[in-house]
Amino acid sequence: EAGVTQFPSHSVIEKGQTVTLRCDPISGHDNLYWYRRVMGKEIKFLLHFVKESKQDESGMPNNRFLAERTGGTYSTLKVQPAELEDSGVYFCASSRSGSTDTQYFGPGTRLTVL
Amino acid sequence: GENVEQHPSTLSVQEGDSAVIKCTYSDSASNYFPWYKQELGKRPQLIIDIRSNVGEKKDQRIAVTLNKTAKHFSLHITETQPEDSAVYFCAATDYKLSFGAGTTVTVRA
């Protein structure tokens, strides 16, 4: 089966600009997660979708971040306006069921805000 | 929320030796503990996991142990090979993963 894909692989933008990241989960996986790793630190949870519904968005840093999953398939994560501290690698993961089912990670999008 | 601490942050071992990475967690509700390996420029890949009803699990050269009472779990890699060089992340969860900061493992040939 095809793995989780993310687009773009890299994005370099200036402070104040907008960026939209996309994640395509494994087909049939209802659960989709966004995570972020800031340089040298741990991978941190951002939010969790079950199908098109946000199950938990407790990790979203602030209201400059907006995630959507219309139709319960792919998801987008928009950062508007981007700030320097938003730089990092954004990972998407998906799992067939929630709870303790294995989460499969995408390759990540490296975001650099200048 | 869950807090996972991982040690050491870097680990250099001679090829053929063993490597051990230790993690502690804070939330007694966590019941699933996966380990991910991330090679340079690649995605994190699950290498082994353990659930709270099991104390130890082994898969070839990799083993994981879990002590629920002490809230710690460890990854053991035996007979290390150069391809084991990567960043290893532990995680704990009851549904959303809380990760440790990662251990950069370097296997010296």
Side-chain angles (χ1 to χ4, degrees):
Chain A
E1 65 184 1
V4 177
T5 58
Q6 292 186 246
F7 182 83
S9 57
H10 295 84
S11 180
V12 181
I13 61 172
E14 293 191 351
K15 176 182 171 180
Q17 290 187 321
T18 297
V19 63
T20 300
L21 314 180
R22 172 170 169 146
C23 168
D24 286 77
I26 293 171
S27 178
H29 283 195
D30 287 340
N31 291 265
L32 187 149
Y33 306 81
W34 282 99
Y35 295 89
R36 176 174 74 172
R37 188 183 190 206
V38 173
M39 177 78 76
K41 297 194 174 181
E42 70 271 27
I43 301 171
K44 281 202 165 182
F45 169 84
L46 297 178
L47 88 159
H48 170 212
F49 283 99
V50 177
K51 297 184 180 179
E52 67 274 12
S53 299
K54 291 177 186 173
Q55 188 76 9
D56 180 349
E57 53 185 330
S58 61
M60 294 287 262
N62 50 60
N63 59 9
R64 295 186 293 102
F65 288 75
L66 176 64
E68 295 181 323
R69 193 182 181 195
T70 307
T73 55
Y74 70 91
S75 174
T76 58
L77 180 64
K78 181 191 288 188
V79 185
Q80 180 182 28
E83 298 289 344
L84 299 179
E85 63 265 27
D86 300 333
S87 295
V89 181
Y90 290 77
F91 290 105
C92 173
S94 73
S95 66
R96 188 172 298 279
S97 64
S99 190
T100 60
D101 200 13
T102 299
Q103 294 185 26
Y104 296 89
F105 277 72
T109 293
R110 181 175 297 277
L111 175 64
T112 302
V113 182
L114 302 175
Chain B
E2 177 64 273
N3 181 46
V4 178
E5 295 194 357
Q6 183 172 348
H7 299 280
S9 57
T10 61
L11 180 60
S12 179
V13 297
Q14 189 69 38
E15 182 178 359
D17 288 350
S18 295
V20 180
I21 303 170
K22 298 182 179 182
C23 291
T24 61
Y25 63 100
S26 60
D27 188 351
S28 56
S30 288
N31 56 8
Y32 174 61
F33 307 89
W35 286 86
Y36 285 83
K37 173 185 179 182
Q38 186 179 19
E39 297 176 71
L40 193 62
K42 296 188 177 181
R43 71 189 69 198
Q45 297 244 353
L46 179 75
I47 54 171
I48 196 166
D49 57 15
I50 191 167
R51 288 178 164 75
S52 58
N53 59 344
V54 176
E56 184 174 358
K57 184 176 178 180
K58 190 173 181 180
D59 182 3
Q60 299 183 333
R61 296 186 298 107
I62 295 172
V64 58
T65 59
L66 170 65
N67 183 327
K68 284 180 57 182
T69 303
K71 295 200 193 77
H72 66 70
F73 56 114
S74 300
L75 177 72
H76 303 252
I77 307 173
T78 58
E79 301 172 23
T80 53
Q81 300 169 3
E83 54 264 36
D84 295 329
S85 296
V87 180
Y88 291 79
F89 295 96
C90 64
T93 183
D94 55 358
Y95 80 93
K96 65 185 181 187
L97 294 174
S98 295
F99 285 88
T103 297
T104 301
V105 174
T106 303
V107 179
R108 307 187 306 272

